[in-house]
Amino acid sequence: PIEPWQIGGPVIKGFGRGSKVLGIPTANLSSERYSALLSEHPSGVYFGWAGLPTRGVFKMVMSIGWNPYFNNTEKTIEPWLLHDFDEDFYGEELHLIIVGYIRPEANFPSLESLIEKIHEDRKIAEEALDLPMYSKFKDDPYLKCSA
Ligand code: ADP
Ligand code: MG
């Protein structure tokens, strides 16, 4: 179990790899703004709740790290919101409450095995977030604030 923590800011553009290469869109947050906070939290896969003020509160599974498969040089924060949106929301304020940790970051021999692992992570997150100890955070006012 981890101590829940929060992070938020406008959704920024990444490399566009999430949805195009993996079929998994991730709403990137600026890691520059949060480098101190990020260095406190180990790289890996986390889950929690995501709030978009005009759209609602959604389950999310998120990677924090260096994306070894893609050899990134910058630590990134990339939540996948577990909801089908009919449009992008770049620039919108996104607030996250991170409540659980799934696994450390890992490298994968193939794109297929990476995608498969992310879908396992999603299933773990979906189920865990229904447990009272995690679901109670979806009502946190932080998820509804717009700034
Ligand atoms: P980028 O590299 O710019 O982050 P992605 O391919 O990861 O591009 O796509 C992410 C973008 O897709 C988000 O910024 C958001 O605007 C949009 N999007 C649509 N549906 C989702 C979703 N379910 N979860 C996260 N982002 C989504
Ligand atoms: Mg992304």
Side-chain angles (χ1 to χ4, degrees):
I2 63 164
E3 188 65 35
W5 53 286
Q6 31 191 344
I7 196 167
V11 175
I12 60 165
K13 277 251 176 207
F15 294 107
R17 274 186 311 224
S19 39
K20 290 185 193 80
V21 181
L22 303 177
I24 298 165
T26 57
N28 297 41
L29 290 177
S30 160
S31 35
E32 268 164 45
R33 266 172 76 168
Y34 301 106
S35 50
L37 186 58
L38 279 185
S39 58
E40 289 170 31
H41 298 278
S43 296
V45 178
Y46 293 81
F47 61 88
W49 296 98
L52 287 164
T54 64
R55 299 175 195 271
V57 174
F58 308 96
K59 291 177 175 178
M60 65 88 184
V61 60
M62 155 176 111
S63 118
I64 293 186
W66 306 93
N67 296 341
Y69 188 89
F70 293 109
N71 287 312
N72 278 12
T73 53
E74 215 185 304
K75 206 171 183 181
T76 59
I77 315 166
E78 304 198 31
W80 178 22
L81 279 57
L82 304 181
H83 179 82
D84 280 328
F85 295 92
D86 32 6
E87 57 181 6
D88 288 349
F89 41 86
Y90 287 111
E92 291 184 29
E93 195 71 16
L94 172 65
H95 283 196
L96 306 175
I97 298 185
I98 297 96
V99 300
Y101 177 78
I102 299 179
R103 62 174 175 88
E105 191 166 51
N107 207 344
F108 292 88
S110 67
L111 205 53
E112 290 68 36
S113 56
L114 170 61
I115 293 171
E116 197 178 314
K117 190 63 169 178
I118 296 172
H119 282 277
E120 280 174 37
D121 296 334
R122 184 204 48 163
K123 195 158 177 284
I124 292 169
E126 292 259 20
E127 289 173 7
L129 287 163
D130 285 333
L131 302 172
M133 64 182 291
Y134 297 127
S135 70
K136 64 181 182 196
F137 291 99
K138 70 164 173 269
D139 300 317
D140 193 296
Y142 178 71
L143 295 170
K144 275 142 200 145
C145 288
S146 52

